[in-house]
């Protein structure tokens, strides 16, 4: 915008903000937006502001975004090609497209403007971020995940990260078409899920672990009852019988926290045919393993790791940190019996994501081997024998 339009935007923004505060914000976001736009058009006409139609609409849109939306981030959030939005302070905004982060030509007016947007986001999720609680995770109504860190933890200004939730979940067929998964491996994964093998998806941050987990869960029989457990609800399963559980952080008084581990334990009481845990990060790994080894075959989860072997070692470490006196050898044996397959996903330097490895447990002797049809059939047979 020109300086003149910026000045007008500031004048009308302050005027409308006061009116919104005095009237309250009753109604849906769409209704509020519609009323705000009507009021702005009326005021522009009443003030006889000489604006070209295009400038007037841009002015109204900018004020609406600022007062009711995500400010300068609205255009990025509306772009279907953008998968992640990052603000490193008011003057540095990045967006991820096709796995590549690029600096964007948008900025906040100043640090208080960025803080207003952060407060609006976390406030809509019933959270608060300030000096006493300077770090927060939240979720937007569309499922997008939000992380915000403010001073004094963020030394150079507030930091905001929004991982957009895909409105159309990626399917295995789409992954094959995009070259991220071979047709042969896709067939093995389908057989693994249909054969009720326990599957762990491993990978680093941003490699698409949850995306693949969601795609794999689509192979589960619609007649089965599925219970999902997540730190922040991202999975979108199309089956008719899905119960979704989401962890809850502590409130401002430090009470009311419900952990993923508590939800996994509760899921066992909900008569699930399958349990899908978004990601194991701590002591819930033990409860997940117990579920896999005590009748809840075909469960799925993800784990942050650099390889299939590292994924199993990380699960072992998390179990050992759960606070129970369990010998390491016993833990390793439980992991071997519980996790049938590890699917490792990776992201190349050009941003493309793909399934880098597909490993299965050796039925005899332990250890991971590259999964093929023969080893998969052996795992399915072992799992069937375990159930009987």
């Amino acid at each position: 915008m020109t300086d003149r339009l910026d000045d007008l935007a500031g004048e009308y923004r302050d005027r409308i903000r006061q009116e919104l505060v005095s009237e309250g914000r009753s109604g849906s976001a769409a209704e509020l937006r519609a009323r705000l736009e009507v009021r702005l058009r009326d005021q522009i006409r009443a003030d006889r502001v000489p604006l070209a139609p295009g400038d007037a609409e841009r002015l109204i849109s900018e004020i609406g975004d600022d007062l009711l939306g995500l400010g300068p981030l609205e255009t990025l959030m509306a772009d279907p090609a953008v998968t992640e939005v990052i603000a490193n302070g008011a003057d540095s905004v990045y967006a991820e497209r096709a796995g590549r982060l690029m600096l964007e030509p948008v900025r906040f007016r100043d640090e208080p403007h960025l803080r207003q947007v952060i407060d609006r986001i976390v406030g809509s999720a019933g959270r608060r971020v300030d000096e006493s609680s300077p770090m927060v995770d939240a979720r937007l109504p569309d499922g997008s995940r939000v992380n915000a860190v403010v001073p004094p933890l963020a030394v150079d200004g507030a930091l905001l990260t929004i991982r957009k939730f895909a409105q159309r979940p990626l399917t295995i067929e789409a992954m094959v078409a995009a070259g991220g998964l071979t047709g042969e491996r896709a067939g093995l994964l389908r057989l693994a899920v249909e054969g009720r093998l326990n599957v762990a998806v491993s990978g680093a941050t941003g490699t698409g672990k949850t995306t693949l987990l969601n795609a794999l869960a689509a192979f589960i029989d619609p007649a089965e009852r599925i219970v999902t457990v997540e730190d922040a609800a991202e999975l979108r399963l199309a089956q008719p019988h899905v119960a979704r559980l989401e962890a809850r952080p502590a409130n401002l008084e430090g009470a009311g926290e419900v952990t993923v581990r508590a939800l996994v334990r509760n899921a066992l009481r909900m008569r699930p045919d399958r349990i899908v845990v978004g990601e194991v990060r701590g002591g819930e790994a033990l409860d997940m393993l117990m579920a896999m080894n005590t009748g809840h075959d075909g469960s799925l989860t993800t784990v942050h790791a650099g390889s299939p072997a590292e994924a199993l070692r990380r699960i072992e470490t998390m179990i050992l940190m759960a606070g129970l006196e369990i010998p390491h050898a016993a833990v390793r044996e439980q992991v071997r019996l519980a996790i049938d397959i590890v699917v490792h996903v990776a992201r190349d330097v050009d941003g493309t994501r793909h399934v880098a490895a597909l490993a299965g447990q050796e039925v005899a002797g332990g250890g991971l081997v590259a999964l093929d049809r023969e080893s998969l059939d052996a795992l399915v047979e072992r799992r069937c024998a375990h159930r009987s």
Side-chain angles (χ1 to χ4, degrees):
M1 279 193 180
T2 64
D3 291 340
R4 178 167 174 273
L5 286 179
D6 284 341
D7 292 340
L8 280 172
E11 177 186 339
Y12 283 118
R13 184 168 48 243
D14 293 340
R15 189 187 306 177
I16 296 295
R17 181 181 288 114
Q18 291 300 321
E19 294 178 5
L20 288 173
V21 170
S22 62
E23 295 176 4
R25 296 192 177 191
S26 60
S28 67
E31 292 170 341
L32 285 170
R33 183 80 178 221
R35 293 205 301 266
L36 180 145
E37 291 179 356
V38 169
R39 186 171 301 176
L40 280 171
R41 290 190 180 93
D42 290 344
Q43 289 190 355
I44 290 172
R45 282 195 297 267
D47 294 342
R48 296 183 179 181
V49 180
L51 289 175
D55 286 343
E57 289 306 313
R58 283 195 296 133
L59 178 66
I60 292 170
S61 177
E62 191 265 354
I63 294 174
D65 291 344
D66 204 27
L67 292 180
L68 300 176
L70 303 181
L73 303 184
E74 279 287 341
T75 54
L76 296 175
M77 293 297 292
D79 186 345
V82 172
T83 54
E84 195 147 5
V85 177
I86 299 172
N88 297 324
D91 298 320
S92 179
V93 176
Y94 287 79
E96 182 188 65
R97 293 180 177 86
R100 300 292 297 274
L101 279 175
M102 299 292 291
L103 184 65
E104 295 293 318
V106 298
R107 62 184 298 276
F108 294 86
R109 292 190 303 276
D110 47 31
E111 179 73 10
H113 186 201
L114 172 57
R115 290 292 297 270
Q116 288 172 9
V117 171
I118 291 175
D119 289 341
R120 188 177 305 127
I121 293 173
V122 301
S124 66
R127 308 292 305 283
R128 191 182 78 184
V129 59
D130 51 29
E131 288 189 5
S132 63
S133 180
M135 186 166 56
V136 66
D137 285 307
R139 179 164 53 88
L140 293 176
D142 68 355
S144 298
R145 292 174 57 182
V146 177
N147 176 267
V149 187
V150 301
L153 297 187
V155 178
D156 299 318
L159 304 172
L160 175 65
T161 306
I162 304 176
R163 178 171 295 180
K164 288 177 60 179
F165 179 77
Q167 297 304 311
R168 294 184 177 180
L170 198 63
T171 64
I172 291 293
E173 292 76 15
M175 292 181 187
V176 173
L181 177 65
T182 66
E184 180 184 4
R185 283 179 167 175
L188 291 175
L189 288 173
R190 175 187 283 274
L191 291 172
V193 176
E194 292 177 346
R196 301 186 65 85
L197 297 183
N198 296 321
V199 180
V201 179
S202 67
T205 300
T207 53
K209 298 188 297 296
T210 303
T211 299
L212 179 57
L213 184 69
N214 202 93
L216 290 176
F219 293 142
I220 297 175
D221 190 331
E224 296 185 59
R225 173 170 167 80
I226 309 167
V227 178
T228 68
V229 178
E230 299 177 86
D231 187 51
E234 293 181 278
L235 296 171
R236 293 291 189 276
L237 305 188
Q239 288 89 337
H241 201 169
V242 179
R244 303 172 67 215
L245 303 177
E246 182 181 42
R248 185 179 69 185
N251 59 23
L252 296 177
E253 289 73 36
E257 180 183 19
V258 180
T259 65
V260 171
R261 184 173 188 184
L263 290 179
V264 171
R265 289 177 174 177
N266 189 78
L268 298 175
R269 306 183 183 103
M270 296 173 64
R271 201 266 180 222
D273 292 307
R274 311 245 192 167
I275 298 176
V276 181
V277 179
E279 182 175 356
V280 287
R281 297 188 179 97
E284 66 271 9
L286 174 61
D287 302 283
M288 181 71 193
L289 239 65
M290 294 299 100
M292 290 177 170
N293 279 331
T294 55
H296 299 91
D297 296 341
S299 295
L300 311 172
T301 190
T302 75
V303 60
H304 191 101
S307 69
E310 183 183 329
L312 298 185
R313 288 195 296 270
R314 283 212 66 210
I315 292 173
E316 291 175 12
T317 301
M318 286 185 280
I319 293 172
L320 291 171
M321 294 174 64
L324 300 178
E325 297 295 329
I326 305 176
H328 190 186
V331 170
R332 178 164 295 177
E333 179 65 10
Q334 287 298 310
V335 172
R336 186 185 75 82
L337 293 174
I339 305 294
D340 297 306
I341 292 175
V342 181
V343 187
H344 186 69
V345 290
R347 183 170 62 178
D348 294 332
V349 292
D350 63 357
T352 58
R353 299 173 173 88
H354 65 282
V355 174
L358 185 54
Q361 291 276 8
E362 285 185 299
V363 173
L368 291 172
V369 295
L371 191 71
D372 56 21
R373 183 57 188 269
E374 182 180 355
S375 57
L376 184 143
D377 288 343
L379 286 169
V380 172
E381 184 178 348
R382 183 185 74 170
R383 188 57 59 187
C384 289
H386 182 264
R387 286 196 294 269
S388 61

